[in-house]
Amino acid sequence: MSKRLLSLMLAAVLALTLVVPALAQENEPSGEFEIFSWWAGDEGPALQALIDKFEEMYPDVTVNNATVTGGSGVNARAVLKTRMLGGDPPDTFQVHAGQELIGTWVVADRMEDLTFLYDEEGWWDKFPQGLLDLLSTDEGIWSVPVNIHRSNVMWYVPANLEKWGVEAPATWDDFLAMCPTLQEAGVTPLVIGENWTVNHLWESVALSELGVDGWNALWAGEKHWTDDDVVAMWEKFGQILECSNINEDAATLSWQQATDKVINGEAAFNVMGDWAAGYMVTTLGLEPGEGFGWQPSPGTQGVFMMLSDSFGLPKGAKNRDATIAWLKLLGSREGQDIFNPLKGSIAARLDSDLSLYNTYSQAAAADWKENAIVGSLVHGAVAPEAFSSEFATVMEIFLNGYNAQAASNAAEAIAYQAGILK
Ligand code: GAL
């Protein structure tokens, strides 16, 4: 054997030893794989479609679609916490981009850094920078976003409004002015549901009354809850609630059941995230614009209050290979365009094929590009869990007598405790 051939062979062996470990890091996934979320029942079709695709791609994986029912993750988050702290993480789990991810699981060192995956998949310029920022710390990037949902949307049925002689209100004052007309017609002006949906309404009212700068300043620790405009906002919120079903059946209604009341004409309006569009189109089979209408919640025209569902790789995941394969699908253009047209959300990616989406989602996508963007409190974007979970107490204090000053004082105290105010 010539020296040259020998050195070529040696070089080839060396190259192989370098390549093989890189390949071995990502084995063809197989075995049990658990995806944990709160997308149960009516909320399930979009996730199921993605799982169907995943199972087609990886027939050796058995997916356990583990869901804990309860809108906005109220119950799922508690179960997740018990499991994570007990050393039994799911292989991957739904988590909101922003503080719910960073302030809870990243600071506790429970997630793997996904920089390698973003590098490998070339994702750095595929998502908006603002969204990547919500998923990142100086140390890395911690989950893969599957969607963008909008929180500040008001829903109604156009034909019903016409029948009652009202128009979708541009401001909350307009809404308060039409409230008696609707009540006299035997219609609930604004329908709400179980506790978290009251908070959901609140964030739209707060955005309207405080504006983009005021809202952002609250979370940056640059504004006090005891400021006059915040106290006045609580007062306005109380007046709005007087035009709702809060003292009737609200506590017994899921967000879907509240939406049903708009559709069947028992109620005129509902403020809910655009998963409601997913429900009305995918589950109820309604046509956007005919079966239901929408507009930004009153006083928030030109502002898009966003949230994003994402999935990550918890440290100690039993089926790491399957999780990585799942995240790749989730972050791909194809994956996002399978999931989002059914979910009511738009793709987190910048290159999705909008022709696959209905007219509601196309309008949301246009607003996402053009509007001022702010983050949702209720859906994990802007405040650490120490604040957002305690916000329920603030709301309880408010609802117990509609005392605006008491609610502001309580929120101020919690903002200090959570480190937002210093
Ligand atoms: C949000 C979540 C949405 C939808 C909604 C209602 O927190 O981001 O995807 O599931 O809750 O449950």
Side-chain angles (χ1 to χ4, degrees):
M1 197 181 294
S2 77
K3 261 194 174 167
R4 191 177 141 70
L5 187 59
L6 188 67
S7 61
L8 270 178
M9 280 171 67
L10 275 176
V13 169
L14 192 67
L16 261 181
T17 54
L18 289 176
V19 165
V20 168
L23 289 176
Q25 278 174 8
E26 282 172 33
N27 301 321
E28 184 65 14
S30 62
E32 293 273 327
F33 170 53
E34 184 186 8
I35 303 169
F36 183 92
S37 80
W38 60 85
W39 289 329
D42 285 335
E43 287 222 65
L47 177 63
Q48 191 54 54
L50 205 54
I51 291 175
D52 290 347
K53 177 73 193 172
F54 183 76
E55 287 178 328
E56 190 189 305
M57 292 167 74
Y58 303 102
D60 296 339
V61 179
T62 310
V63 175
N64 172 10
N65 180 5
T67 54
V68 177
T69 315
S72 82
V74 275
N75 306 320
R77 263 193 297 279
V79 174
L80 178 67
K81 195 179 224 171
T82 310
R83 289 191 52 177
M84 293 286 276
L85 299 182
D88 177 30
D91 292 308
T92 189
F93 59 86
Q94 177 186 4
V95 61
H96 288 124
Q99 283 298 313
E100 188 178 310
L101 168 73
I102 304 294
T104 314
W105 302 120
V106 177
V107 294
D109 197 22
R110 299 285 170 157
M111 306 302 288
E112 277 198 40
D113 176 15
L114 298 175
T115 298
F116 76 95
L117 193 61
Y118 278 74
D119 284 343
E120 216 175 283
E121 299 298 297
W123 280 344
W124 297 110
D125 59 357
K126 295 293 184 285
F127 297 98
Q129 189 56 46
L131 180 58
L132 294 179
D133 291 345
L134 283 179
L135 306 169
S136 304
T137 61
D138 289 344
E139 281 74 44
I141 185 157
W142 306 99
S143 70
V144 179
V146 67
N147 66 4
I148 300 291
H149 266 308
R150 186 175 195 173
S151 166
N152 61 320
V153 193
M154 177 174 248
W155 309 96
Y156 52 87
V157 174
N160 286 347
L161 297 196
E162 206 175 309
K163 188 170 79 195
W164 300 320
V166 297
E167 278 179 11
T171 65
W172 285 112
D173 286 336
D174 290 350
F175 169 76
L176 292 174
M178 72 179 66
C179 169
T181 315
L182 290 165
Q183 284 172 328
E184 276 154 32
V187 175
T188 304
L190 184 69
V191 65
I192 51 179
E194 56 184 328
N195 287 353
W196 74 266
T197 72
V198 180
N199 301 346
H200 186 100
L201 169 67
W202 176 87
E203 69 180 12
S204 268
V205 174
L207 176 61
S208 150
E209 302 308 294
L210 304 178
V212 169
D213 291 346
W215 176 258
N216 287 338
L218 276 184
W219 311 116
E222 288 160 2
K223 181 169 179 61
H224 288 274
W225 288 80
T226 44
D227 287 357
D228 289 348
D229 58 345
V230 185
V231 178
M233 172 272 294
W234 281 107
E235 272 156 13
K236 179 68 60 71
F237 183 58
Q239 292 164 13
I240 294 165
L241 287 182
E242 303 278 6
C243 292
S244 80
N245 57 331
I246 184 128
N247 294 321
E248 291 149 36
D249 56 354
T252 68
L253 302 177
S254 66
W255 67 264
Q256 292 95 328
Q257 289 169 321
T259 306
D260 290 343
K261 292 203 180 247
V262 174
I263 300 305
N264 69 21
E266 284 177 60
F269 302 104
N270 180 23
V271 170
M272 189 38 63
D274 52 12
W275 41 92
Y279 171 66
M280 290 186 278
V281 174
T282 306
T283 305
L284 302 183
L286 299 173
E287 188 67 37
E290 290 186 17
F292 66 92
W294 70 87
Q295 65 163 25
S297 56
T300 68
Q301 288 80 357
V303 189
F304 191 115
M305 184 181 271
M306 64 77 66
L307 57 118
S308 169
D309 294 298
S310 74
F311 286 78
L313 172 57
K315 287 190 172 165
K318 292 183 200 73
N319 199 341
R320 191 172 179 278
D321 291 333
T323 304
I324 292 170
W326 168 251
L327 296 178
K328 281 186 185 171
L329 173 62
L330 204 90
S332 70
R333 182 181 194 228
E334 186 186 10
Q336 305 229 329
D337 283 346
I338 289 174
F339 180 88
N340 288 299
L342 296 168
K343 186 65 169 66
S345 39
I346 53 173
R349 284 182 69 111
L350 296 160
D351 59 357
S352 85
D353 178 358
L354 276 180
S355 71
L356 301 169
Y357 291 73
N358 64 42
T359 50
Y360 167 74
S361 298
Q362 288 171 352
D367 286 352
W368 171 242
K369 268 199 193 147
E370 285 151 24
N371 283 188
I373 307 293
V374 298
S376 156
L377 166 68
V378 179
H379 307 280
V382 289
E385 211 211 332
F387 185 92
S388 54
S389 59
E390 284 304 311
F391 189 74
T393 312
V394 175
M395 190 57 80
E396 222 176 282
I397 289 170
F398 179 70
L399 295 179
N400 182 19
Y402 288 21
N403 185 332
Q405 189 65 52
S408 275
N409 294 348
E412 177 90 351
I414 291 169
Y416 274 110
Q417 268 168 35
I420 298 173
L421 285 169
K422 296 198 171 75

